[in-house]
Each structure stands twice: as structure tokens, then as C-alpha cells.
Amino acid sequence: MMEIRYAGGPTAVLELGGVRLLTDPTFDGPGEHPIGDRALTKTQGPAFEADEAGPVDAVLLSHDQHPDNLDRAGRAYLSTVPLVLSTGSAAARVGEPVRALPNWTSVDVGPVRVTGVPAQHGPDGTEHLVGEVTGFVLSGEGLPTVYVSGDNASLDVVRAVAERVGQVDVALLFMGGARTPLVDGYLTLTSEDGVAAARILGARHVVPLHFEHWAHFTQGRESVMKAFASIGDGLRLLAPGERTEV
């Protein structure tokens, strides 16, 4: 059993085996977020602020280079937590308490084993443009197996994870079909790809994250509901601030 509390965007608090984890902290309000010579537009703020998230044992940071996954308030929040697991690039740029978790390596946070898994933030051959990204698998004795996709757009990557990990109980899938002028293609899963990913993983429950609250998403809540109609009770589409147990 695990509990999930959805803040909005890619941010959620996960409670598993007595361990509290937080994904991609984004606690700024709506507005323009510069990135290079352009900007991403946040359309809605989080359902709760950083100080309302409660103490956490670790942050799971898919990447640090884009403000829709780590914004100004999120960066400040990192200095208040004991451990941040992320990419090697993030560890080099941000410093402590960010720790690199290379693909297929693991660290134990209490009874929860956190394993870094691949993620591809765009079409093949675009990593030099979008940067390094990671996903995570959570597991432990007597605990559900949980996949946190991060900003992954590749079903081949999902297949690689499924081949190594096997069936997962809960899939937290970053979707939204994100697009920007940076690359020609999707930067995250579409709703339809989310359904395909759930089937590849054999996931009993799917919790969508990062599918709303930013203007560069091409799909949203309605698209997720329509695509996942065939999943039935397996979909847990949370409202901002809502909690669920899976």
C-alpha cells in the first residue's frame, strides 16, 4: 500500500513503507519561467506550498534543467531536504544534497530501494538538446513496485524498464504530450502512449503526473480520461491536492 498526494504538475508526495518521497518540486505560482532565450508558461500554481508538503526523506528529481520540473521555489526547497536523487548532470550543477543515481544502480532509503532507470526526454537523437533525464523504480520487501517515469517520451525505454524490472504495481506516468520549438516531436508521453506504457508494464494502477498546468502541453485531463477509458478502475486521475491510496 502507498499513499500519493498530488500537488500539481510533476509534483507529488509519495508515502511508502513509512518513507516519504517527493517528485520534481515545482512550487512557484503561475507565470513565465525563462529557459535560455525563451520561456515556459505555468498556468496554475500548486495545490499546496513547499512548507505544507511535510518532511520528506528524499526528493526524486527527474532533471534540473527545465523549470517545469524544478522551478525557483523548488530549488530553494532542495536545500531543506536530506537527500535528492537525480542525474549526474544535476548533481554537478546543483551540488549538495543532490546525489547522482546512474541507471540500474540503487540506494536504500529506509526499507525502500530506489533504482535509477532510463528516460528519454524527446525523440531519438535529441538528448544533446533536451539534456539528461532519469526515471525511478521503487521497491522493497512487502511493498508494491512503483515506476516513476520522469519526462520520458519513449515506449522503447518503457519496454527496457519492463524487461529488467518485470510487472509493476503502480505507474506514475508523466504525460501531457509536451512540445516546444526546441525539437520536432513530443517531449513526454501522450495520453495514448501512456495507455501503451501501462500495458507494457502490466501496471495495476496508473497515476498520471505532469499532464496539466503548463502551456506547452498539447493534452490534458480530458485527453487522459478518454485514452484511459479502457483501463477502468486502474486509473487514479487525481485533482490537485487530492490524496489516494493504491
Side-chain angles (χ1 to χ4, degrees), residues 4 21 29 45 47 83 87 94 96 105 116 131-132 142 153-154 159 164 174 197 210 229-230 233-235 246:
I4 303 167
L21 306 167
L83 175 65
T87 65
V94 179
E96 292 292 336
T105 65
E132 185 183 15
S154 170
R159 292 185 186 96
R164 289 284 292 263
F174 289 29
H210 211 24
S230 60
D233 292 341
L235 177 68
V246 290

Side-chain angles (χ1 to χ4, degrees), residues 31-230:
E32 296 293 303
H33 291 258
I35 177 171
D37 58 358
R38 53 199 175 87
L40 299 179
T41 302
K42 189 173 189 178
T43 58
Q44 183 175 321
F48 53 88
E49 303 298 329
D51 59 0
E52 298 174 286
V56 300
D57 298 288
V59 167
L60 307 179
L61 177 63
S62 68
H63 59 301
D64 71 303
Q65 65 267 29
H66 298 145
D68 58 323
N69 295 86
L70 183 66
D71 58 17
R72 290 179 294 268
R75 286 181 183 275
Y77 176 76
L78 294 186
S79 66
T80 71
V81 302
L83 175 65
V84 180
L85 299 172
S86 191
T87 65
S89 300
R93 283 188 291 254
V94 179
E96 292 292 336
V98 181
R99 172 177 169 181
L101 187 66
N103 292 340
W104 312 121
T105 65
S106 302
V107 63
D108 291 337
V109 183
V112 178
R113 173 153 291 188
V114 183
T115 302
V117 297
Q120 181 177 308
H121 195 5
D124 292 346
T126 59
E127 185 174 307
H128 67 291
L129 295 172
V130 298
E132 185 183 15
V133 181
T134 192
F136 304 93
V137 169
L138 315 178
S139 59
E141 185 174 355
L143 300 177
T145 299
V146 182
Y147 169 60
V148 183
S149 73
D151 273 4
N152 173 61
S154 170
L155 290 176
D156 285 341
V157 165
V158 177
R159 292 185 186 96
V161 172
E163 288 171 3
R164 289 284 292 263
V165 174
Q167 183 176 1
V168 306
D169 298 295
V170 184
L172 278 66
L173 300 180
F174 289 29
M175 290 188 276
R179 297 196 74 158
T180 74
L182 184 66
V183 300
D184 182 15
Y186 290 111
L187 298 169
T188 55
L189 297 173
T190 64
S191 299
E192 294 76 17
D193 283 344
V195 173
R199 289 175 173 154
I200 290 166
L201 295 161
R204 294 191 302 112
H205 300 287
V206 175
V207 181
L209 296 179
H210 211 24
F211 62 94
E212 58 185 356
H213 304 161
W214 290 86
H216 61 291
F217 292 156
T218 65
Q219 298 181 341
R221 185 170 292 268
E222 183 177 340
S223 174
V224 171
M225 292 178 63
K226 181 178 179 181
F228 277 83
S230 60

